[in-house]
Amino acid sequence: GKTGMTLRVDSIGESGLKERLMTMGMLPGTKLSVAFRPLGDPIAIGLRSYNLAIRRKDAEQIQVTAI
């Protein structure tokens, strides 16, 4: 998504980070926002009460819906 968009997590594809992301609170139904995209990589995501920086390649494994 674009900076400032609010999104809802639908699912997380199989990746090496799936379990870690879920432990950090990125579960299906969780709201998040795209906080910052410096040159497109990494992407800063506002998740619950913190910002998470994630590589674009890993972010592509997260299926979301705009809300």
Side-chain angles (χ1 to χ4, degrees):
K2 295 184 180 193
T3 300
M5 286 185 71
T6 301
L7 309 166
R8 183 184 68 237
V9 176
D10 294 328
S11 65
I12 301 173
E14 293 302 320
S15 74
L17 285 180
K18 181 177 181 175
E19 186 174 324
R20 186 165 186 183
L21 290 173
M22 293 180 77
T23 300
M24 295 171 72
M26 189 176 290
L27 303 168
T30 302
K31 291 182 184 177
L32 55 87
S33 61
V34 179
F36 189 62
R37 293 176 48 185
L39 304 175
D41 200 23
I43 299 169
I45 298 171
L47 175 66
R48 300 188 185 265
S49 62
Y50 62 93
N51 286 335
L52 172 68
I54 187 169
R55 291 179 297 195
R56 182 179 203 69
K57 177 182 141 202
D58 295 323
E60 290 171 353
Q61 297 299 312
I62 304 167
Q63 287 74 45
V64 295
T65 301
I67 55 173

